[in-house]
Amino acid sequence: MAVTIQQIADLAGVSRGTVDRALNNRGRIRPEVAERIKGIAKELGYQPNMAAKALSTANHALQIGVIIQYAETPFMKAVLEGTEFAKEEVERFGGHVFVECIHGGDVKKLLKTMKDFREAGVKGIALVPTDDELLKKTINEFVEKDRISIITINSDLEDTKRLCFIGQDSYASGRVAGGLMGEIIPGDGKVMILSGSQENVATMERTRGFLDELEHHYSRIKVLEPRYAYDDDWVAGKLLKEQLEETPDLAGIYITAQGESGVCDTLKKYRLEKKIKVIAHDYEGENRENLKKGIINFILRQNSYVQGYESVMELFHTLCGNPTRQGEFWHTDIVIKTRCNL
Amino acid sequence: MAVTIQQIADLAGVSRGTVDRALNNRGRIRPEVAERIKGIAKELGYQPNMAAKALSTANHALQIGVIIQYAETPFMKAVLEGTEFAKEEVERFGGHVFVECIHGGDVKKLLKTMKDFREAGVKGIALVPTDDELLKKTINEFVEKDRISIITINSDLEDTKRLCFIGQDSYASGRVAGGLMGEIIPGDGKVMILSGSQENVATMERTRGFLDELEHHYSRIKVLEPRYAYDDDWVAGKLLKEQLEETPDLAGIYITAQGESGVCDTLKKYRLEKKIKVIAHDYEGENRENLKKGIINFILRQNSYVQGYESVMELFHTLCGNPTRQGEFWHTDIVIKTRCNL
DNA sequence: CTGAAAGCGCTAACAC
DNA sequence: GTGTTAGCGCTTTCAG
């Protein structure tokens, strides 16, 4: 049998209520008593019973909020599937999960939703952030003043008091892309990098990883100057066309951002889809089709579903007294998809 | 607020106890009353509260057993890590998880442990099975007579009453291996398949998937007759040597089973480690080193950790009244590992 | 066959 | 500051 607060109370010669106050830093207790109780709990290896905790607090304290920006994108839709699944699980424990979708990036709406959640008594929030000073401040305020736990999904805000970040290691995934490219194109082939914009941290990191890997292990491959398509299919197609005119013997394309369909269409038009190797990110939407058809050779998946699922479950565990399970950074697997493991 | 048995009881004009008997088929209740109660529960969309269920039954009904055969192998060690993590989570809910390791394959000991678990009051068992008639019978008996839920890990016993199977789709992973090999060796290269034994279903399925993929999409690649190393490094090395004498221009090796180190050592001896591409399974033990060094080009990972973790968590959910989350087959992701995502 | 009531471990409101 | 107590929703005796 696991140790209970009653046992601690008996040993300390106090009541359950006092132990509860001590162990949960609720105040209204003499510091030296609190210390003594904590000592006994530690000695006994006390672990709170999550079922009991959930049962007794579910109706007020087990409320979790999720805020997804860019909810219209295929990628975030997969995140949402994960949160929905987690929602079901949490609600089976008597908790509540509120999911708010935001179209595109809209920090104002994000902040508004955070405040609404706080009013509603939410004790943990998982959100897809954007790099914004006011948002950072608000996060810190929520954590410190309101004791609301916050998790960043997909992109991080490192210099905040958030509980943790769940997402992919962009640099590492870029390196994986580089390693794959190195293997599948000729040793002295030419490679184009088609990126999003220089403001986007994630895609810049991917690019950096890609370059590092090729430089260190496939140094004879020639990597062309990155071009930026600003996540647009049409621009991506156009940039590729221009590149092909300059570099008719192009061997591979690494797409770090959106715009994959534009690339694939252009390749098809020029009948180059079997000749030029393509590596892209995000196993969602049209990418799946293009992978199946063999136009894209590899897709590096972010495991977005897992991000959605784990962010909610991590908050759930935290609220039930189970400390963080993975540390500050929770990097999801870099899953490589080929035509064969669709 | 979620619906509770009390609400159902009120509506049906009976007591909580009666509702409990009806909803959990405990008998000692008039059939027509039971039906009526079930009807009301359904209408109301009743979902039992897992926290309450866990709290009230933890000490007798939330006992889970895990039996791992071949526990000495690196692969199963990873499975064990997953079960240990799950164990902690379950025990935080007041449950109990007993883990029994078996050295090598030992059905007698497996059966003995199952019976011990049953005596101890265990209500769910996750086990790594071997294909054995008595084991199958015992599983069915446990499920039907003792109402103990059973999950098979890693390899399946399809024609039994087990709750589900958690493991990898061997055929699919073979196909992925084929697709990768097709990309990284020359279009008309020669490939060797180094397998375990013809009795091992999983490795035969991998081989079948590998062959299918190459035949359909890389038909000019020449696949040599499979050789069987019986999971032995020395034999594997020897078979490779023989193959190299017959086929000095070998371009790739697909290893479906154990014996990878033997292959890598031989390749190093002949200074062929950069020339011949190697694809293997199981990201554990020495394979990691050999992948890092570039001797192995790709490892297809089984996600053994996940298998261990999810098997226990699935039993936990089942015992807490949450129905199966994934269906009869729960195929874990086929994770491709390269030097870059170690 | 059915109802009543105790209890699982923890929290929170209320006394003192 | 500290103790007491009434729940949270479900299971499980024990009466009837």
Side-chain angles (χ1 to χ4, degrees):
Chain A
M1 272 287 301
V3 22
T4 69
I5 49 168
Q6 182 64 67
Q7 296 174 35
I8 298 174
D10 292 346
L11 272 167
V14 297
S15 72
R16 301 212 310 280
T18 306
V19 176
D20 180 52
R21 283 190 284 270
L23 262 28
N24 297 288
N25 307 309
R26 293 191 214 281
R28 300 190 309 158
I29 186 173
R30 221 174 345 138
E32 51 273 31
V33 178
E35 282 317 307
R36 197 160 58 84
I37 293 176
K38 282 185 186 173
I40 297 178
K42 195 164 191 181
E43 255 180 66
L44 265 52
Y46 170 74
Q47 304 275 67
N49 182 318
M50 289 176 68
K53 219 156 178 157
L55 184 57
S56 75
T57 62
N59 291 316
H60 44 283
L62 212 53
Q63 317 233 66
I64 293 171
V66 181
I67 313 173
I68 307 286
Q69 290 194 97
Y70 305 98
E72 75 281 4
T73 60
F75 177 79
M76 288 305 168
K77 278 183 188 150
V79 173
L80 276 167
E81 279 177 42
T83 63
E84 287 300 329
F85 195 88
K87 176 182 158 89
E88 279 181 34
E89 258 181 52
V90 169
E91 298 194 335
R92 280 186 165 275
F93 279 101
H96 259 291
V97 179
F98 307 99
V99 180
E100 178 74 25
C101 294
I102 295 179
H103 190 95
D106 186 342
V107 183
K108 264 198 199 119
K109 197 164 170 196
L110 175 58
L111 290 167
K112 172 79 169 58
T113 309
M114 285 176 72
K115 280 163 194 163
D116 289 348
F117 279 167
R118 180 173 55 185
E119 297 313 307
V122 159
K123 293 281 179 281
I125 298 178
L127 53 85
V128 175
T130 29
D131 195 351
D132 180 279
E133 280 313 312
L134 185 52
L135 176 55
K136 287 184 190 174
K137 255 185 220 150
T138 310
I139 288 179
N140 287 338
E141 184 195 314
F142 270 53
V143 174
E144 306 230 280
K145 237 190 71 206
D146 308 306
R147 323 211 93 241
I148 296 176
S149 300
I150 297 205
I151 289 181
T152 49
I153 311 178
N154 194 247
S155 51
D156 196 13
L157 293 177
E158 266 198 51
D159 45 347
T160 62
K161 310 267 183 196
R162 75 203 173 353
L163 181 66
C164 70
F165 160 66
I166 300 185
Q168 198 166 57
D169 182 338
S170 299
Y171 176 78
S173 71
R175 281 199 58 200
V176 172
L180 289 170
M181 191 63 90
E183 289 288 334
I184 62 176
I185 66 170
D188 56 352
K190 291 177 187 162
V191 175
M192 170 185 192
I193 298 178
L194 201 49
S195 202
S197 86
Q198 284 171 289
E199 266 83 62
N200 185 317
V201 180
T203 57
M204 291 308 282
E205 282 294 288
R206 286 176 181 169
T207 303
R208 197 166 65 83
F210 185 79
L211 290 171
D212 279 359
E213 178 62 22
L214 285 182
E215 189 184 319
H216 292 334
H217 294 281
Y218 306 90
S219 52
R220 290 175 50 236
I221 285 180
K222 175 132 190 270
V223 186
L224 308 167
E225 197 59 33
R227 303 195 173 208
Y228 299 91
Y230 300 95
D231 297 314
D232 187 277
D233 281 323
W234 185 84
V235 179
K238 184 164 157 288
L239 289 176
L240 172 56
K241 249 178 261 173
E242 291 172 12
Q243 187 70 265
L244 284 171
E245 276 160 30
E246 277 179 43
T247 325
D249 57 339
L250 191 69
I253 306 170
Y254 174 43
I255 315 174
T256 70
Q258 308 290 100
E260 304 95 329
S261 301
V263 170
C264 292
D265 291 347
T266 305
L267 284 175
K268 266 195 292 191
K269 209 164 96 190
Y270 286 73
R271 303 201 174 283
L272 287 168
E273 70 267 31
K274 297 287 168 201
K275 295 230 178 72
I276 296 182
K277 306 292 183 181
V278 177
I279 298 177
H281 286 268
D282 295 350
Y283 179 66
E284 314 294 341
E286 280 185 56
N287 276 2
R288 291 186 186 215
E289 280 311 305
N290 285 323
L291 182 66
K292 195 190 270 179
K293 286 183 198 149
I295 306 177
I296 297 178
N297 298 76
F298 290 103
I299 288 178
L300 303 187
R301 184 182 201 175
Q302 293 217 35
N303 244 337
S304 31
Y305 179 91
V306 173
Q307 293 177 23
Y309 178 76
E310 293 295 354
S311 54
V312 174
M313 292 312 285
E314 181 67 21
L315 285 173
F316 171 68
H317 276 92
T318 303
L319 296 180
C320 287
N322 194 352
T324 308
R325 299 183 292 168
Q326 297 270 344
E328 189 186 353
F329 298 102
W330 186 333
H331 289 304
T332 51
D333 275 352
I334 300 165
V335 179
I336 303 177
K337 285 283 172 185
T338 70
R339 183 169 31 72
C340 312
N341 64 350
L342 295 168
Chain B
M1 273 287 301
V3 21
T4 68
I5 49 169
Q6 182 64 68
Q7 296 174 36
I8 299 174
D10 292 346
L11 272 168
V14 298
S15 72
R16 302 211 310 278
T18 307
V19 176
D20 179 57
R21 284 191 284 271
L23 262 28
N24 296 288
N25 307 307
R26 293 191 213 281
R28 301 190 311 157
I29 188 174
R30 225 176 342 142
E32 51 274 32
V33 178
E35 282 316 307
R36 198 161 57 82
I37 292 176
K38 282 185 185 173
I40 297 178
K42 196 164 192 178
E43 256 180 65
L44 264 51
Y46 170 74
Q47 303 274 67
N49 181 316
M50 286 176 71
K53 220 157 177 157
L55 183 58
S56 76
T57 62
N59 291 315
H60 42 283
L62 212 53
Q63 319 233 63
I64 293 171
V66 180
I67 313 173
I68 308 287
Q69 292 193 96
Y70 305 98
E72 76 281 4
T73 61
F75 176 79
M76 288 304 167
K77 279 182 189 151
V79 173
L80 276 168
E81 277 177 43
T83 63
E84 287 300 328
F85 194 89
K87 176 183 159 90
E88 278 181 34
E89 258 181 53
V90 169
E91 298 195 334
R92 279 185 166 275
F93 279 101
H96 259 289
V97 179
F98 307 99
V99 180
E100 178 75 23
C101 293
I102 296 180
H103 189 95
D106 186 342
V107 183
K108 265 197 199 118
K109 196 165 170 197
L110 174 60
L111 291 168
K112 172 76 167 57
T113 308
M114 286 176 71
K115 279 164 194 162
D116 289 349
F117 280 166
R118 179 171 58 185
E119 297 314 308
V122 160
K123 292 281 180 284
I125 297 176
L127 54 85
V128 175
T130 29
D131 195 351
D132 179 280
E133 280 312 314
L134 185 51
L135 175 56
K136 288 185 191 175
K137 255 185 217 149
T138 310
I139 288 178
N140 287 337
E141 184 195 312
F142 269 53
V143 174
E144 306 230 280
K145 238 189 71 210
D146 308 305
R147 324 212 92 240
I148 295 176
S149 299
I150 296 203
I151 289 182
T152 50
I153 310 178
N154 193 247
S155 51
D156 196 15
L157 292 177
E158 266 198 53
D159 44 347
T160 61
K161 309 267 183 198
R162 77 203 170 355
L163 181 66
C164 71
F165 159 66
I166 299 184
Q168 198 166 57
D169 182 338
S170 301
Y171 176 78
S173 70
R175 281 199 59 202
V176 172
L180 289 170
M181 191 63 90
E183 289 290 334
I184 63 174
I185 66 171
D188 55 353
K190 291 176 187 162
V191 175
M192 170 185 192
I193 297 178
L194 200 49
S195 201
S197 86
Q198 284 171 288
E199 266 83 63
N200 185 317
V201 180
T203 57
M204 291 308 281
E205 282 294 290
R206 286 176 180 170
T207 303
R208 196 166 66 82
F210 186 79
L211 290 170
D212 279 359
E213 179 61 22
L214 285 183
E215 189 183 322
H216 292 334
H217 295 279
Y218 306 90
S219 52
R220 288 175 50 235
I221 285 180
K222 177 137 189 263
V223 185
L224 308 167
E225 197 60 33
R227 302 194 175 209
Y228 300 91
Y230 301 95
D231 296 312
D232 186 276
D233 282 323
W234 185 84
V235 178
K238 184 163 156 290
L239 289 175
L240 174 55
K241 249 177 262 173
E242 291 173 13
Q243 186 69 264
L244 284 171
E245 276 159 30
E246 276 178 43
T247 326
D249 59 339
L250 191 69
I253 307 170
Y254 174 43
I255 316 174
T256 70
Q258 308 289 99
E260 304 95 330
S261 301
V263 169
C264 292
D265 291 346
T266 304
L267 284 175
K268 267 196 291 192
K269 210 163 94 188
Y270 285 72
R271 305 200 173 283
L272 287 168
E273 70 267 30
K274 298 286 168 198
K275 297 231 177 71
I276 296 182
K277 306 292 184 184
V278 177
I279 297 177
H281 286 268
D282 295 350
Y283 179 64
E284 313 295 341
E286 282 185 55
N287 276 3
R288 292 188 186 213
E289 279 311 305
N290 286 322
L291 181 66
K292 195 188 272 179
K293 288 183 196 146
I295 307 177
I296 297 178
N297 298 77
F298 290 105
I299 288 178
L300 303 186
R301 184 184 202 174
Q302 291 218 33
N303 244 334
S304 31
Y305 180 92
V306 173
Q307 292 177 24
Y309 177 77
E310 292 296 354
S311 54
V312 173
M313 291 313 285
E314 181 67 21
L315 284 172
F316 171 68
H317 275 93
T318 303
L319 296 180
C320 286
N322 194 352
T324 307
R325 299 183 292 167
Q326 298 270 346
E328 188 186 354
F329 299 102
W330 186 333
H331 289 304
T332 51
D333 275 353
I334 300 166
V335 178
I336 302 176
K337 285 283 172 188
T338 72
R339 183 169 32 73
C340 312
N341 64 348
L342 296 167

